[in-house]
Amino acid sequence: MAVSPGATLSDEQLADAIVQRERSADAMQRARDACGELYARHAAKLLAFLAARAPRSQLEDVHQEVWERVWERLPGGFAGGNFRAWLFQISRNLLIDQARKKRPMDSIADHDVPDERQARPDLVLFESERAAHLRNCLEKLAPEAAALVRARLSGQSYDEICERNGIRMERAHKLFHRAKEQLHDCVKRVTA
Amino acid sequence: MKLHALDIPDDAAELPAWLERHLVGLDLGTLVSELRAVHGTAAAEPALREVLGQQADAVLRGGLAQLSPDRLSLLLQHPELLADLQEQILTRGGTYWDRVAAESAALPGPCARGRERLAAFLNAPGAAGSAEAPSQAHRLSLPPRAAHDQEAMRPGARVRWYRHPAFVGLATAAAVLLAVRAYDARYRGSGVVQPPVVAATGWGWAKPDALPQDLTAPAYFNRLADAAQEWFNKQPEDAVTLAQRIGELRQGCSVLIFAEHRPLGAEDRVWLVEKCRSWAAKLDDQRVALEAGGKPEEVRAATDEVVQKLVVALRARADQTARG
């Protein structure tokens, strides 16, 4: 089986190859290969992390920015230890930098009520408009259907729901299916 | 617009796997946002460690099936905990989570594009951190892609160094060269028959790492399906770009026809090659239709259908081989 040259090295050994890149042309090539191997190992999970915390339209740019930071900052910024933890710390810091840029201090001062989220600029709640539409659409459902949606989306099984509410399984399925369609249509209509 | 939360499985036994896919996929943020809209915000949110309890380490090692339905329910009702859990999983999770991420259908496209961009960056003059490297302040502002492009089109606008046409051309050439080198390196001395006269592309079956030879047969078929699905990452609207993209997909068929497919048994190899020939013929038909003046949108729709069917066929074969 063919393996890439760095496939047998640990993350930390690959990181060290990047740190040593200025020594020679060969070292530079090894560093590039090492960076490619680290990317192969961690890019998918890093994308998942960033996708939950950055707007989708910027996801791939932010992802690229993280890897550029890795390349640029490894020589002086990585003091050994767990590379994966360091990679995610770099990512978190980048998200924090960007969140701060987007939210000037004067707009923060407008909030009278302390919000824990403000202390966590890495956790960005986005798509708030979409969530507001869904909330409004849910309120338009019949109370029984809305309660069923809430129960299903809190992980309750049909068995539990039917037993608790004294309804037949078939009716519960039908009700949920219809509520889903109504919610889809409603959200689609208001966002069109 | 898709509402992810409403796709919650009917069968409670499938709930852990459904949630796991979201935790390592690209739509967790949307799911959290939807669940928050449905459940509202509690006055006091429980901490993740309280919800996971003594199962915390077991979850990191073996997934959400370790949790009781009540604890899973708490995660859904307090969806911000899912973001915290995701961070734990991604930074401390074991190989179980690597496998879940590897099976995600949404990740291959962005990963492949990121790999190309990284290769271009690493091979750019000054990437080693010399004075030619772009300043940090300059590169940290990241407006949405559309805004980037509008900015670049403004007369007199300062074009980012990596978006300059000369650099893009050089970088593309470097990326292709890298891809071909990597492809050579992977196959040289491995005993794998290298597909002849087929240039590597940045996506699909013809990209350098499209055919890992160390997988099981089901995983191999699924990997081929994932690679084929990258077709949908771009939707060319003009005939020339569409013809080029169909051509790249067609190149991928040649790669498959000539490859050794070590993970597969003889019967599966024969099945795959026969299927590839059939898909190749259908793609050739689409290109001929396009070159004969067919409407790009119609040809693209027909090609979409071909790709959709072949992805289904590959996944079905994966299931079949998994069942033995």
Side-chain angles (χ1 to χ4, degrees):
Chain A
M1 182 179 73
V3 290
S4 69
T8 54
L9 301 178
S10 69
D11 282 359
E12 290 67 35
Q13 288 170 315
L14 293 167
D16 190 53
I18 297 175
V19 170
Q20 308 292 334
R21 68 190 183 220
E22 297 290 0
R23 291 189 171 182
S24 65
D26 281 349
M28 178 60 74
Q29 189 51 50
R30 276 196 299 277
R32 288 185 178 123
D33 292 343
C35 196
E37 180 64 27
L38 287 171
Y39 181 93
R41 291 182 191 179
H42 299 291
K45 286 192 280 191
L46 183 58
L47 271 164
F49 176 80
L50 296 172
R53 291 160 178 83
R56 181 61 63 91
S57 61
Q58 295 178 21
L59 172 61
E60 293 187 29
D61 283 343
V62 174
H63 185 226
Q64 168 76 3
E65 189 68 33
V66 170
W67 286 102
E68 289 181 19
R69 278 194 177 191
V70 166
W71 178 259
E72 287 165 2
R73 297 188 180 186
L74 257 172
F78 180 61
N82 184 334
F83 171 80
R84 179 157 58 146
W86 183 79
L87 172 68
F88 279 84
Q89 188 57 50
I90 288 268
S91 311
R92 207 175 292 112
N93 290 346
L94 177 62
L95 292 167
I96 290 170
D97 288 347
Q98 295 192 338
R100 282 181 181 149
K101 273 187 199 162
K102 282 177 197 152
R103 199 175 53 207
M105 290 309 289
D106 55 354
S107 73
I108 294 175
D110 291 342
H111 295 275
D112 295 329
V113 182
D115 179 356
E116 193 189 347
R117 196 174 314 283
Q118 304 256 339
R120 294 192 52 185
D122 60 316
L123 183 56
V124 181
L125 260 200
F126 51 92
E127 299 201 69
S128 55
E129 191 182 354
R130 171 196 177 101
H133 290 320
L134 178 58
R135 198 177 302 119
N136 291 338
C137 291
L138 191 63
E139 283 168 8
K140 289 178 187 164
L141 290 181
E144 187 186 20
L148 178 58
V149 169
R150 288 199 179 89
R152 288 286 298 116
L153 297 194
S154 64
Q156 286 182 36
S157 68
Y158 279 108
D159 287 338
E160 289 175 274
I161 293 168
C162 291
E163 193 180 325
R164 192 167 296 166
N165 299 294
I167 56 175
R168 286 187 299 120
M169 184 73 77
E170 192 185 324
R171 174 164 165 70
H173 275 280
K174 211 170 176 178
L175 203 57
F176 185 61
H177 183 68
R178 197 182 306 142
K180 272 171 69 169
E181 281 182 349
Q182 286 173 325
L183 286 172
H184 275 298
D185 290 347
C186 175
V187 172
K188 194 174 167 186
R189 204 167 44 245
V190 292
T191 53
Chain B
M1 183 168 76
K2 185 176 170 61
L3 292 169
H4 296 275
L6 295 178
D7 285 340
I8 192 167
D10 283 348
D11 184 350
E14 292 172 17
L15 182 58
W18 177 77
L19 210 43
E20 285 174 356
R21 284 194 294 276
H22 278 292
L23 284 165
V24 297
L26 295 182
D27 294 311
L28 182 69
T30 309
L31 179 70
V32 168
S33 166
E34 290 172 5
L35 289 171
R36 244 172 79 90
V38 169
H39 296 304
T41 312
E45 297 282 346
L48 181 64
R49 64 175 180 281
E50 294 168 31
V51 172
L52 299 184
Q54 294 183 337
Q55 274 72 50
D57 286 339
V59 166
L60 293 181
R61 280 195 309 270
L64 297 181
Q66 316 297 323
L67 290 179
S68 67
D70 286 349
R71 289 178 192 271
L72 283 173
S73 176
L74 278 172
L75 289 175
L76 292 169
Q77 290 176 65
H78 303 282
E80 281 156 33
L81 295 179
L82 291 172
D84 295 337
L85 176 59
Q86 185 202 45
E87 188 166 346
Q88 294 283 313
I89 286 163
L90 298 177
T91 56
R92 296 175 50 219
T95 52
Y96 173 85
W97 291 101
D98 290 338
R99 285 198 298 275
V100 179
E103 287 165 10
S104 168
L107 292 168
C111 274
R113 286 191 293 275
R115 188 162 35 237
E116 285 175 29
R117 289 178 73 178
L118 181 62
F121 170 77
L122 293 178
N123 287 280
S130 72
E132 290 175 68
S135 76
Q136 199 61 25
H138 180 53
R139 287 188 300 97
L140 273 180
S141 61
L142 287 167
R145 198 175 294 277
H148 272 305
D149 297 342
Q150 283 167 7
E151 184 196 359
M153 286 167 68
R154 225 174 357 98
R158 186 175 172 193
V159 178
R160 287 173 178 229
W161 64 275
Y162 55 79
R163 288 176 183 273
H164 191 283
F167 172 73
V168 171
L170 263 175
T172 306
V176 169
L177 203 62
L178 261 184
V180 172
R181 267 189 55 188
Y183 205 71
D184 280 349
R186 183 165 290 264
Y187 285 99
R188 190 184 300 127
S190 66
V192 175
V193 179
Q194 185 175 353
V197 296
V198 179
T201 64
W203 66 279
W205 298 322
K207 69 183 173 185
D209 56 351
L211 310 179
Q213 299 295 301
D214 54 349
L215 300 176
T216 61
Y220 189 72
F221 277 123
N222 276 322
R223 185 66 71 90
L224 294 181
D226 290 342
Q229 213 150 1
E230 290 171 19
W231 160 262
F232 295 102
N233 291 347
K234 287 186 181 170
Q235 298 189 314
E237 291 180 353
D238 65 281
V240 173
T241 319
L242 180 58
Q244 185 185 339
R245 194 151 175 88
I246 294 174
E248 288 166 354
L249 185 60
R250 175 63 179 81
Q251 267 183 309
C253 290
S254 296
V255 170
L256 287 192
I257 289 166
F258 292 118
E260 194 180 25
H261 306 301
R262 280 184 182 180
L264 304 183
E267 196 181 327
D268 283 331
R269 275 201 293 272
V270 169
W271 177 88
L272 180 60
V273 170
E274 279 178 5
K275 282 285 179 192
C276 286
R277 289 191 180 118
S278 161
W279 298 330
K282 287 175 182 165
L283 293 172
D284 288 339
D285 289 346
Q286 295 310 319
R287 206 152 54 156
V288 167
L290 191 63
E291 287 165 355
K295 288 183 181 172
E297 62 270 26
E298 288 174 7
V299 172
R300 199 181 70 206
T303 313
D304 283 352
E305 200 179 336
V306 172
V307 177
Q308 197 60 54
K309 283 182 180 168
L310 71 86
V311 167
V312 169
L314 287 166
R315 297 219 188 277
R317 193 74 180 185
D319 288 343
Q320 196 181 323
T321 49
R323 286 196 300 271

